[in-house]
Amino acid sequence: MSATDVVYCMLTALFASAAVRALRYALVSRSLRWRDRVDHLLHTAMALAMAVMPWNCSSALPELPLTAFFTAAALWFPLAAAGRCQQSRLTATARRLPYAAGMAAMAWMTLSMAGLSHEPLAQGLPAEHQAVHLSHSAGGSRAGAVVTGVLALYLLAYALWSLTRGMPTLSSVSDAVANSTSASGRYPYFWDGSMALGTVIMLLMHP
């Protein structure tokens, strides 16, 4: 097993665990509003797709429908903050932007998979058409590198912030006992940061 396969196995385990957690919250928690349930279901769909994406079975996924689905999911997170007062709406939108960026990264990767699947079609074209196709591909790859870089940097910054905020700090036994009641509040930050970091790795390793 190569080092790449080891990383893929770790990512699959991470995203599968995140999918189970999000699905459990969506189905079991009774105090959630319907918008929160939709959020968790979208996270479940994203995590499941990310779990299988590194492997050959990902080629069986319908790229264009998935791109449309995750694009709509990326729009859902900021738009679902509507209906609040001006200040709370801005705060809610800012908090949901990392989730929108994660969905946008997923849509971007599925879109690039669709582009790669259509790449062999250019091999049967005449020479002058192949040259035009290659020039468009080169321009698209430069723009794609910019999009990938922006998404990766934003998600990396959010991952570092979430993991630093959510991970328990080194403290004395008395401090640990005092903070034990707030430990459950740290787990969402840990999962959000882990998902964002895993998405960054997928973005950088994705062809």
Side-chain angles (χ1 to χ4, degrees):
M1 180 179 290
S2 64
T4 302
D5 291 335
V6 173
V7 174
Y8 283 161
C9 288
M10 295 172 63
L11 290 173
T12 298
L14 168 65
F15 288 121
S17 301
V20 171
R21 174 184 177 273
L23 184 61
R24 182 176 66 86
Y25 271 94
L27 299 180
V28 176
S29 299
R30 298 181 178 180
S31 60
L32 290 179
R33 299 172 300 175
W34 69 271
R35 293 183 181 180
D36 297 327
R37 294 187 190 277
V38 173
D39 291 348
H40 286 301
L41 290 174
L42 290 176
H43 286 307
T44 302
M46 175 184 172
L48 288 175
M50 293 281 270
V52 302
M53 184 175 286
W55 310 104
N56 293 331
C57 58
S58 64
S59 60
L61 297 176
E63 292 93 354
L64 293 180
L66 280 178
T67 301
F69 173 80
F70 287 113
T71 300
L75 295 174
W76 157 263
F77 282 98
L79 292 179
R84 305 169 183 260
C85 64
Q86 183 69 20
Q87 184 176 2
S88 62
R89 182 170 66 247
L90 293 176
T91 302
T93 301
R95 290 177 179 176
R96 295 165 71 85
L97 282 180
Y99 303 142
M103 295 294 173
M106 186 67 195
W108 178 248
M109 286 187 284
T110 54
L111 180 62
S112 65
M113 287 171 55
L116 289 175
S117 64
H118 289 88
E119 192 72 22
L121 296 178
Q123 296 179 359
L125 296 175
E128 61 274 11
H129 290 174
Q130 289 189 18
V132 173
H133 177 79
L134 290 175
S135 64
H136 283 295
S137 298
S141 63
R142 287 192 292 268
V146 172
V147 174
T148 300
V150 170
L151 288 172
L153 286 176
Y154 180 81
L155 289 172
L156 180 61
Y158 176 72
L160 294 177
W161 178 83
S162 296
L163 292 174
T164 303
R165 181 186 178 95
M167 290 176 63
T169 57
L170 295 176
S171 58
S172 62
V173 176
S174 59
D175 291 335
V177 173
N179 294 331
S180 60
T181 57
S182 63
S184 60
R186 297 190 179 108
Y187 291 119
Y189 291 110
F190 168 78
W191 282 106
D192 289 346
S194 299
M195 282 282 291
L197 185 59
T199 305
V200 171
I201 297 174
M202 288 289 295
L203 273 170
L204 299 180
M205 297 185 68
H206 198 68

